[in-house]
Amino acid sequence: MELGAAPDLWLGTVLFLILHVIDTSWAAFYPDLYEDAIRQYQSPLFTIGEFALVACVVYHAFNGLRIILLDYKPAWWIYQRRAATLVFVATLVVLAPTFVLMIGHVLDFYEEDPDLAGWTRSSRSRHNSPPGSW
Amino acid sequence: MVIVVAALALSAFYGLLTRSDRGFELPGRLESTLWSFMRLSGVLIVPLIFGHLAMMHVISGVFDITGGGMTVIGTDVTNESGKAVEFVGARWDMLVAGVAVWRIYDGLLLALVVIHGLNGLRYVVNDYVHPPLANRALNWAIVFGTVALIVLGMARCWPE
């Protein structure tokens, strides 16, 4: 298992994948439901989940490449400790600027509408649908 | 949900019918093909998923999906209504030399990731769930689920 000691994170990624295929199919079959789904994705709960998901995917990508490489070149197992560290470092290096940019989107969104408590939005907003009302 | 119940019923029926005390087994060749597929698809998925994350979460974010008046990422079209469906429609109708590039991109990513992800789930199930009835049921649920998700997700990837 690629996420090793944390199968719950791994499971979360697969569960989100299943959810995401289903909700995206609504764009074609149930347009109104799709608008609701995207509104949910813009809610604070899913924003936190979004950061966690991106972290899981990036880590899984580098760790998966490590596994592929070591399966292909078993002689390189002597470097496996260093490889695992490298995966961790590469994950952090990619995630740092990614999270900065993602936080930028979050701040942009909430700066446009400081009234977080009421979730009301001005009609001037470029985002014309409010986030989840929960 | 329906799939899980159906798979459990099917597994029980199969057990009664064959008196099988074994879990779910794929033919040996398919099992080793899937082993290779996990590596090959992994290499293909990495650039595809990084591109997907860059477009949907980094360059433009989840909040921009409903950004009225904003240019839809990967297209030269403006999302006039600020509706999420218009965002998806703009991407899927984007043609480069007559080719719906984002439909192909999304379709390829979908097929690879669903098989890769659910096959990985199958490995977890086989590592942890040993009782034959439950093992068969979960495996069948995963097989049905894989097919269902690909059909559902690809349904509108083809031009109408």
Side-chain angles (χ1 to χ4, degrees):
Chain A
M1 271 171 295
E2 270 70 78
L3 280 186
D8 48 339
L9 296 181
W10 192 97
L11 205 59
T13 307
V14 175
L15 285 179
F16 179 77
L17 167 68
I18 294 169
L19 179 70
H20 187 42
V21 174
I22 293 171
D23 78 62
T24 307
S25 78
W26 294 346
F29 300 110
Y30 306 102
D32 291 340
L33 270 184
Y34 187 63
E35 300 298 330
D36 290 342
I38 294 299
R39 245 195 306 277
Q40 291 299 328
Y41 286 157
Q42 293 171 341
S43 68
L45 181 69
F46 274 94
T47 298
I48 294 166
E50 182 195 356
F51 279 77
L53 179 74
V54 169
C56 287
V57 168
V58 172
Y59 177 73
H60 182 51
F62 287 122
N63 197 50
L65 290 176
R66 177 185 68 87
I67 289 168
I68 293 168
L69 198 64
L70 292 184
D71 277 345
Y72 183 66
K73 293 268 186 199
W76 292 0
W77 266 97
I78 50 171
Y79 303 118
Q80 59 94 8
R81 216 187 160 85
R82 226 190 293 174
T85 311
L86 192 65
V87 163
F88 207 67
V89 172
T91 304
L92 292 180
V93 167
V94 169
L95 279 184
T98 302
F99 276 8
V100 168
L101 292 167
M102 282 170 64
I103 288 168
H105 287 300
V106 177
L107 292 181
D108 277 354
F109 182 66
Y110 287 111
E111 259 166 30
E112 271 175 27
D113 182 15
D115 183 15
L116 296 184
W119 296 114
T120 53
R121 306 187 74 77
S122 73
S123 56
R124 292 182 297 117
S125 170
R126 70 188 165 98
H127 300 285
N128 55 9
S129 2
S133 47
W134 49 302
Chain B
M1 196 60 215
V2 176
I3 285 175
V4 171
V5 172
L8 196 62
L10 200 62
S11 175
F13 186 62
Y14 180 87
L16 272 178
L17 215 62
T18 63
R19 302 253 162 235
S20 170
D21 56 355
R22 303 172 72 171
F24 182 92
E25 280 168 31
L26 289 173
R29 273 193 57 179
L30 182 55
E31 194 65 73
S32 84
T33 305
L34 279 173
W35 188 93
S36 304
F37 173 83
M38 291 304 268
R39 273 94 193 139
L40 181 66
S41 64
V43 173
L44 296 173
I45 289 166
V46 169
L48 287 172
I49 202 84
F50 278 17
H52 178 78
L53 290 181
M55 285 186 287
M56 301 302 183
H57 299 265
V58 180
I59 299 168
S60 84
V62 173
F63 303 111
D64 300 329
I65 295 173
T66 52
M70 291 179 73
T71 305
V72 175
I73 182 93
T75 73
D76 44 21
V77 178
T78 304
N79 185 350
E80 302 288 354
S81 67
K83 280 190 174 289
V85 276
E86 188 177 334
F87 178 91
V88 175
R91 289 176 57 77
W92 282 17
D93 291 340
M94 169 80 178
L95 298 178
V96 176
V99 179
V101 282
W102 297 125
R103 283 187 200 224
I104 294 173
Y105 188 103
D106 288 353
L108 191 62
L109 182 61
L110 172 93
L112 288 172
V113 159
V114 167
I115 299 172
H116 184 100
L118 294 209
N119 189 49
L121 190 61
R122 199 176 61 83
Y123 293 155
V124 179
V125 163
N126 289 336
D127 279 350
Y128 287 99
V129 184
H130 299 296
L133 182 76
N135 181 280
R136 283 197 305 267
L138 288 173
N139 271 281
W140 277 333
I142 288 170
V143 172
F144 297 149
T146 305
V147 175
L149 281 181
I150 291 176
V151 170
L152 188 65
M154 297 267 253
R156 289 292 161 88
C157 275
W158 322 117
E160 280 94 77

